[in-house]
Amino acid sequence: MSSNRGAETRPELSAALSGSELARWYWTLAELTVLARELGVPRGGGKTALADRLRAALDGVAPPAAPSRTRGAGHQLAAPVNGSTVIPEGQRCSQVLREYFRREIGPGFHFDASMRTFVAEGAGRTLADAIAHWHATRRTAAQRQEIGSQFELNRFLRDWHAAHPTGSRVEALAAWRAHRDRPRGPAAR
């Protein structure tokens, strides 16, 4: 415990923690990966899945079932590509695609949620279809989008800047550090 009015301090990340204590605090993926290596827990998957496996390991219970892999490695597109190039099953948002879309759409192109979904689910469609999809979704994409729970920093910064419109980046990051160092409520995972 620290001396600042009884506030809890973030514990050291170690095998001595319980699963519920692990869940009470913010940890980076890099920190969780180190603990997983120490405990012999598989490190693959996203941060949420890794945290779930670590909580199970710390509590001595069976880990949650791994989700079935729906995407195979599959064939990935290689340059050169053009509008008639067909998107293969399992295609990722690669640098080859980014370069093509920036060349065709312009420097404002980026893989937003709509384009990531189109590429992931667009097997059999062409890159020309993807460009048409980009243009058709710009009005929707310009609206405020939900930020996934795995992007906790981004969600915090959006909310902080909404509450402090004249705040600086330095102030926002200091507020983030203070936020992440506080324990989460029992409902937080």
Side-chain angles (χ1 to χ4, degrees), residues 18-57:
S18 68
S20 61
E21 188 65 8
L22 177 83
R24 288 186 65 221
W25 302 91
Y26 175 85
W27 308 101
T28 65
L29 178 58
E31 290 171 317
L32 294 174
T33 301
V34 169
L35 181 60
R37 189 174 292 121
E38 178 184 322
L39 296 175
V41 170
R43 298 180 305 272
K47 182 178 172 182
T48 302
L50 178 57
D52 289 345
R53 286 192 301 274
L54 284 170
R55 282 199 315 279

Side-chain angles (χ1 to χ4, degrees), residues 3-143:
S3 60
N4 61 351
R5 293 174 283 163
E8 291 183 75
T9 57
R10 186 172 166 231
E12 181 179 330
L13 184 59
S14 73
L17 290 177
S18 68
S20 61
E21 188 65 8
L22 177 83
R24 288 186 65 221
W25 302 91
Y26 175 85
W27 308 101
T28 65
L29 178 58
E31 290 171 317
L32 294 174
T33 301
V34 169
L35 181 60
R37 189 174 292 121
E38 178 184 322
L39 296 175
V41 170
R43 298 180 305 272
K47 182 178 172 182
T48 302
L50 178 57
D52 289 345
R53 286 192 301 274
L54 284 170
R55 282 199 315 279
L58 291 169
D59 289 342
V61 298
S68 62
R69 298 204 58 155
T70 57
R71 285 182 8 184
H75 169 75
Q76 297 295 303
L77 293 175
V81 295
N82 60 44
S84 62
T85 300
V86 175
I87 300 170
E89 182 73 33
Q91 176 64 43
R92 292 187 283 288
C93 296
S94 66
Q95 288 302 318
V96 170
L97 291 184
R98 183 183 313 278
E99 289 171 17
Y100 171 75
F101 291 138
R102 283 204 172 138
R103 188 172 59 246
E104 297 298 316
I105 294 169
F109 172 79
H110 57 280
F111 283 112
D112 58 14
S114 178
M115 284 300 285
R116 287 191 305 270
T117 300
F118 186 91
V119 170
E121 299 173 358
R125 302 189 67 191
T126 67
L127 295 183
D129 295 333
I131 290 172
H133 176 77
W134 166 266
H135 291 298
T137 59
R138 290 311 85 204
R139 181 173 300 158
T140 303
Q143 296 171 355

